[in-house]
Amino acid sequence: MIKNLLRGFSALSLALVPLLSAPAAQAAPTAEVTTLADAVGLVEVTEEDRTGYTRSKFKHWNSGDDKSDGCNTRAEVLISEAVVAPTVEAGCKLTGGTWVSYYDGQEVTSAGSLDIDHMVPLAEAWDSGASGWAAGRREAYANDQSSTVSLVAVTARSNRQKSDQDPADWMPPSPEAQCRYVGEWVSTKLRWQLTADDRELEALKVFAEGPCEDTIVRYTPAA
């Protein structure tokens, strides 16, 4: 519920913390805020390469953030994003509950009708730098609940329409969701130091310099 409230506070408010290395035993860097256009300018541009990709190289869903609750990452995200909390039964079976899929604006009352989408799909992450990561970092990426934007509960239909496409080829069908989506996409790319190809970058610039010019982005670099 808390995660959902954070998401809903503002459709244009996402996280940006600069890529600075904090000394050991020092508090986390102070959050800084930038425009979407400036955030897009921080994304490195390279060609993408899907050679060697398989979904199984990103271990998910693991035992989640709370190792004692009996729920995996998928279930924990569903619980945290519910606008009406589900009942959590033995074995982390979820009954009841209500969710709003922001990609298409649909209200959902069955957890089984939802997918947990990786904001930047696993295949896209592989293309953009994750191919060079160790298995543990790919697992951390695939189960990232430390950012409110990395994983999102959406209708299965919208998630499967998106598939592994970037914003050059797919955007949420709800116009009201598009600036939020672009901001969350850029936030995730910067959080994990992922790159973009030329077509993707141009698509992001169209939104950043046009209808989403007022969007604010913030992110915390992944450990």
Side-chain angles (χ1 to χ4, degrees):
M1 179 67 76
I2 293 174
K3 184 175 177 182
N4 188 67
L5 290 174
L6 286 171
R7 287 177 176 273
F9 182 76
S10 170
L12 302 179
S13 183
L14 306 165
L16 177 104
V17 172
L19 288 170
L20 298 175
S21 297
Q26 187 174 357
T30 302
E32 294 188 10
V33 178
T34 189
T35 64
L36 176 59
D38 285 345
V40 170
L42 295 174
V43 180
E44 182 183 348
V45 182
T46 62
E47 293 185 5
E48 295 184 350
D49 184 359
R50 194 158 297 185
T51 303
Y53 170 74
T54 62
R55 191 171 176 83
S56 62
K57 290 183 178 178
F58 292 81
K59 181 181 177 182
H60 68 291
W61 304 109
N62 65 18
S63 56
D65 282 356
D66 185 347
K67 309 303 182 186
S68 66
D69 66 2
C71 296
N72 64 13
T73 298
R74 170 186 160 80
E76 288 182 356
V77 173
L78 287 169
I79 293 166
S80 69
E81 294 196 357
V83 295
V84 176
T87 299
V88 184
E89 300 179 351
C92 201
K93 179 181 179 182
L94 306 183
T95 59
T98 302
W99 294 262
V100 175
S101 166
Y102 94 82
Y103 287 180
D104 50 13
Q106 297 298 303
E107 182 176 289
V108 180
T109 56
S110 170
S113 298
L114 293 161
D115 281 353
I116 304 304
D117 182 38
H118 293 92
M119 174 53 58
V120 175
L122 301 181
E124 169 70 20
W126 178 272
D127 297 351
S128 307
S131 61
W133 295 349
R137 186 168 177 84
R138 288 198 290 267
E139 179 179 353
Y141 177 85
N143 296 275
D144 182 19
Q145 294 187 69
S146 295
S147 167
T148 61
V149 305
S150 294
L151 302 171
V152 56
V154 294
T155 56
R157 178 180 180 182
S158 64
N159 184 45
R160 291 163 197 183
Q161 287 175 339
K162 172 183 173 179
S163 186
D164 59 6
Q165 299 176 95
D166 68 32
D169 297 307
W170 187 89
M171 288 292 291
S174 173
E176 294 78 12
Q178 292 181 355
C179 289
R180 173 181 170 181
Y181 181 79
V182 171
E184 291 188 353
W185 180 278
V186 174
S187 175
T188 304
K189 285 256 167 163
L190 291 175
R191 171 172 169 75
W192 289 93
Q193 299 181 45
L194 296 171
T195 62
D197 63 17
D198 289 331
R199 288 186 67 250
E200 176 187 346
L201 187 72
E202 289 307 309
L204 294 172
K205 285 181 177 179
V206 167
F207 285 94
E209 297 169 2
C212 305
E213 63 180 352
D214 294 328
T215 297
I216 301 301
V217 175
R218 67 178 70 162
Y219 75 91
T220 303

